Amino acid sequence: MLIEYGKRHLTSLQQQQLDPTIYALSTPPGRSAIAIIRVSGPACLHVYRGLCPGRQLPKPRYATLRTLYEPGILLLADRQVLDPNALVLYFPAPKTVTGEDVLELHLHGGAAVVKAVLNAIPKSLLPSSQAESHILRYAEPGEFTRRAFYNDVLDLTQIEALGDTLSAETEQQRRLAVKGATNALAKEYEACRQRLLYARGELEALIDFSEDQHFDESPKRLLRSVATQVEQLRMQMRTNIQNSIRGELLRSGISVALVGAPNAGKSSLLNRIVKREASIVSKQEGTTRDVVEVGVDIGGFYCRFCDLAGLREHPRGGESIGEIEIEGIRRAKTHARNADVIILVLSSEELRAHAGIPLINAEVEETLRSCDTETQKLVCVINKSDLIQTHMPMGEIYSQLNNHPVLQEHSAKGTPVFVVSCKEAETSPRIDESDPGAMQTFLQGLTGIFEGMTSAIHPHGQFGGHVDSSPWELSLGVSERQRRLLQQCAQFLDNFLDEVRLADSHNHVDEANTFADETDVVLAAENLRSAADCLAKITGRGEAGDVEEVLGVVFEK
């Protein structure tokens, strides 16, 4: 009996060695009204008794006012007061942020107070055999979250969403993070993984018992059934991958390039958008020679606007373009090709002075043609509307723009065209004018374009009739790490379908599809196992052996 007690006691001590109690400042450093220090682990109550000697334990999950003292001195009268009015909260395991006992100390936020309490916590373990068995140390980066994962409080998808929540700066980023805060996405992937395991089990049963047992279905029909399930899962994976790319625009920001000829008003437009003098404005051509990038919140969307050098051909009459401006034009073209949205800025002065001449010069046209018409959005802005005369045929201008071959290549439905005046937008609005320069109309139009670029898509026709897009909105929160694993998963599913000779061009499996008699069922089952492992790595659950490799990177964020 004593031997059994000793084994249990040794096991308990070993567990405490493996899981030391950790503490850290949970609020940003610096002077503030309140600072919070969090302690997590089995020695929480020992820390409390060291800092609040002789006081009753706080009622769990209730804030209790306490005076914090310097530990290690026997006589209370001789102890130094660290904080006379601190709030103490105790959360017993397992329903806590880490799944362990948690103690929170809400202090006055002065730097000296916080430093004194942090220095006192390691000394708070009283000299007793029970307290001395604990290890108490400062937490490593991300260690509270790591413990929440190991104690099944959070999965990896929730942890990554937590990182997005902490870094969110705009409303759309906040909404994206909130979607991933629940475990709905993890449940979806786990359900897919279970379906793959079930399908793999059917194939392995075919491998092990096909010669000894009688199956209700022929091997070919069984393969068709499994392939149908895999085809549906592949469609789901591909859709989630596409939505994750859209969600990345919300997370990292939408890149917007201002493209146009010199003096079209690109710098003025950027200054009016960001509401400050971010770029130099001058009547001299070639003023902007390098890329001026500014981040701004437009309707809740984080955007990175790039003011680029004006694109022009080598002028006639002996005038030359300097090397610096040539390099600026090269960089402008590169940024335009990499942007998510291209704003083509045209000047009404050019429209008026050069009637009959192409509205878009050759350099700008060449740049637009080199851009990706499938992934990049094109918007046209006619600047300096204050110079447009009332008799000018704006209808003709709109028609000529939308009939331009370059603009038609980018959008068969027509390129959005906005007419603005940066000069009028810069002045204080008159009482009778709520939108000077039509700048707000332009920004609202941009917001609508951003909404279309970042809304969730769904596989058409999968459910027939009306499709509820709400389940697919969760996949907007898929991180880059998750997307890479989804791509690997989809590739393994493709390999499986190729192995069983399923025609990729069909949206479903019909009786006309035939499978080769030589189908390597073992290799097909292995592809399903690999696909399931990819899904296990996304959530951090399952039996995937290298899940541990990604934990450190995720937690440190």
Side-chain angles (χ1 to χ4, degrees):
M1 184 173 180
L2 289 175
I3 295 177
E4 290 299 322
Y5 173 79
K7 289 181 179 179
R8 290 196 301 269
H9 184 63
L10 180 61
T11 303
S12 176
L13 289 177
Q14 290 174 341
Q15 185 63 34
Q16 291 168 9
Q17 293 289 333
L18 292 174
D19 297 324
T21 299
I22 58 175
Y23 67 96
L25 178 66
S26 295
T27 49
R31 186 172 61 182
S32 61
I34 298 174
I36 300 176
I37 295 176
R38 176 174 291 169
V39 185
S40 177
C44 280
L45 293 182
H46 294 292
V47 173
Y48 171 80
R49 293 188 183 99
L51 297 176
C52 306
R55 296 306 301 269
Q56 183 180 0
L57 294 178
K59 184 178 179 181
R61 308 182 191 282
Y62 280 80
T64 306
L65 186 64
R66 289 287 187 266
T67 298
L68 304 185
Y69 293 92
E70 176 74 22
I73 301 176
L74 296 178
L75 296 178
L76 183 60
D78 296 335
R79 293 194 178 194
Q80 181 182 0
V81 175
L82 302 178
D83 193 332
N85 296 292
L87 284 179
V88 178
L89 292 96
Y90 170 61
F91 304 91
K95 295 184 179 181
T96 66
V97 292
T98 62
E100 304 172 327
D101 287 350
V102 172
L103 181 70
E104 285 190 358
L105 307 175
H106 295 227
L107 317 171
H108 291 91
V113 175
V114 174
K115 182 179 179 180
V117 175
L118 287 175
N119 290 335
I121 288 178
K123 309 172 187 176
S124 60
L125 296 184
L126 299 178
S128 65
S129 59
Q130 186 178 7
E132 288 177 349
S133 65
H134 294 277
I135 295 178
L136 181 60
R137 61 170 174 79
Y138 201 85
E140 298 174 356
E143 191 168 3
F144 287 98
T145 309
R146 179 186 291 270
R147 295 193 175 194
F149 171 77
Y150 283 125
N151 292 320
D152 292 329
V153 177
L154 298 174
D155 57 54
L156 283 185
T157 60
Q158 291 175 294
I159 291 172
E160 289 176 306
L162 175 62
D164 292 339
T165 301
L166 297 178
S167 60
E169 296 181 356
T170 68
E171 176 63 17
Q172 294 298 331
Q173 289 176 335
R174 182 195 66 81
R175 293 182 182 182
L176 181 68
V178 168
K179 290 175 182 177
T182 65
N183 63 346
L185 195 59
K187 287 182 177 179
E188 176 186 341
Y189 292 141
E190 180 60 22
C192 293
R193 191 176 76 93
Q194 292 297 331
R195 290 174 63 185
L196 287 174
L197 294 178
Y198 178 79
R200 176 189 168 194
E202 289 187 313
L203 292 184
E204 292 187 345
L206 180 62
I207 297 171
D208 295 337
F209 307 110
S210 60
E211 297 180 358
D212 303 328
Q213 301 291 332
H214 173 70
F215 288 88
D216 294 336
E217 295 179 311
S218 66
K220 289 184 179 181
R221 187 176 296 275
L222 178 61
L223 282 175
R224 288 195 185 99
S225 175
V226 173
T228 301
Q229 301 175 48
V230 172
E231 177 70 20
Q232 294 173 352
L233 287 173
R234 183 181 65 167
M235 182 186 301
Q236 185 174 349
M237 296 300 105
R238 294 295 184 190
T239 304
N240 284 357
I241 291 170
Q242 291 176 333
N243 283 334
S244 71
I245 296 174
R246 289 171 166 249
E248 190 63 30
L249 294 176
L250 297 175
R251 186 180 293 107
S252 301
I254 301 173
S255 175
V256 183
L258 302 178
V259 176
N263 281 351
K266 301 183 297 298
S267 298
S268 297
L269 182 61
L270 175 67
N271 292 342
R272 300 288 69 78
I273 291 174
V274 302
K275 298 180 180 179
R276 63 183 177 88
E277 299 300 318
S279 189
I280 299 175
V281 177
S282 172
K283 293 183 179 180
Q284 180 181 351
E285 291 187 354
T287 303
T288 303
R289 299 187 177 185
D290 204 352
V291 178
V292 179
E293 183 171 333
V294 184
V296 64
D297 184 343
I298 301 293
F301 296 89
Y302 177 69
C303 307
R304 292 176 282 108
F305 280 84
C306 298
D307 182 19
L308 308 178
L311 303 179
R312 60 169 173 164
E313 302 171 298
H314 289 278
R316 301 174 182 176
E319 183 183 355
S320 62
I321 300 178
E323 293 182 2
I324 297 179
E325 186 176 353
I326 292 175
E327 175 62 18
I329 292 175
R330 185 194 67 79
R331 295 186 181 187
K333 293 180 178 180
T334 300
H335 274 74
R337 286 191 290 267
N338 295 329
D340 301 310
V341 177
I342 301 172
I343 297 181
L344 173 61
V345 183
L346 302 174
S347 171
S348 65
E349 290 181 305
E350 297 296 318
L351 301 180
R352 180 179 59 181
H354 303 285
I357 296 180
L359 295 171
I360 305 174
N361 70 37
E363 285 292 312
V364 175
E365 184 173 326
E366 177 188 348
T367 302
L368 294 179
R369 289 187 184 278
S370 67
C371 295
D372 191 342
T373 59
E374 296 294 329
T375 60
Q376 294 178 289
K377 299 294 182 181
L378 179 63
V379 179
C380 185
V381 173
I382 302 177
N383 189 23
K384 306 179 184 180
S385 63
D386 53 291
L387 300 179
I388 297 178
Q389 300 178 2
T390 56
H391 66 274
M392 289 190 67
M394 291 303 300
E396 270 185 42
I397 295 176
Y398 283 133
S399 176
Q400 189 173 354
L401 281 173
N402 280 302
N403 290 329
H404 195 284
V406 175
L407 272 63
Q408 285 185 333
E409 289 176 8
H410 276 267
S411 178
K413 298 180 180 179
T415 299
V417 179
F418 300 92
V419 180
V420 302
S421 171
C422 294
K423 181 179 179 180
E424 292 180 355
E426 185 178 4
T427 61
S428 299
R430 301 193 303 267
I431 298 178
D432 60 341
E433 189 173 9
S434 59
D435 185 13
M439 193 61 60
Q440 292 304 314
T441 301
F442 165 60
L443 294 178
Q444 290 172 4
L446 273 185
T447 302
I449 294 172
F450 296 157
E451 289 175 350
M453 295 172 59
T454 58
S455 60
I457 59 177
H458 51 78
H460 297 286
Q462 181 175 354
F463 304 101
H466 175 70
V467 178
D468 182 13
S469 62
S470 56
W472 302 102
E473 292 179 357
L474 292 173
S475 56
L476 291 173
V478 171
S479 67
E480 181 181 357
R481 180 191 69 87
Q482 297 170 28
R483 180 170 69 249
R484 290 198 302 267
L485 290 169
L486 287 176
Q487 289 170 339
Q488 294 176 21
C489 177
Q491 183 59 55
F492 285 121
L493 298 182
D494 287 340
N495 294 343
F496 169 84
L497 294 174
D498 291 341
E499 187 62 36
V500 297
R501 307 296 188 265
L502 178 66
D504 289 335
S505 60
H506 291 179
N507 292 325
H508 62 281
V509 179
D510 53 31
E511 292 299 325
N513 278 325
T514 59
F515 295 88
D517 294 334
E518 305 81 33
T519 297
D520 191 337
V521 182
V522 176
L523 182 57
E526 180 63 19
N527 282 318
L528 295 186
R529 184 197 65 79
S530 299
D533 281 352
C534 291
L535 296 180
K537 293 175 188 177
I538 291 179
T539 61
R541 308 302 182 193
E543 300 178 357
D546 56 350
V547 168
E548 182 69 24
E549 297 179 4
V550 304
L551 298 184
V553 176
V554 172
F555 293 138
E556 287 178 4
K557 294 182 179 180

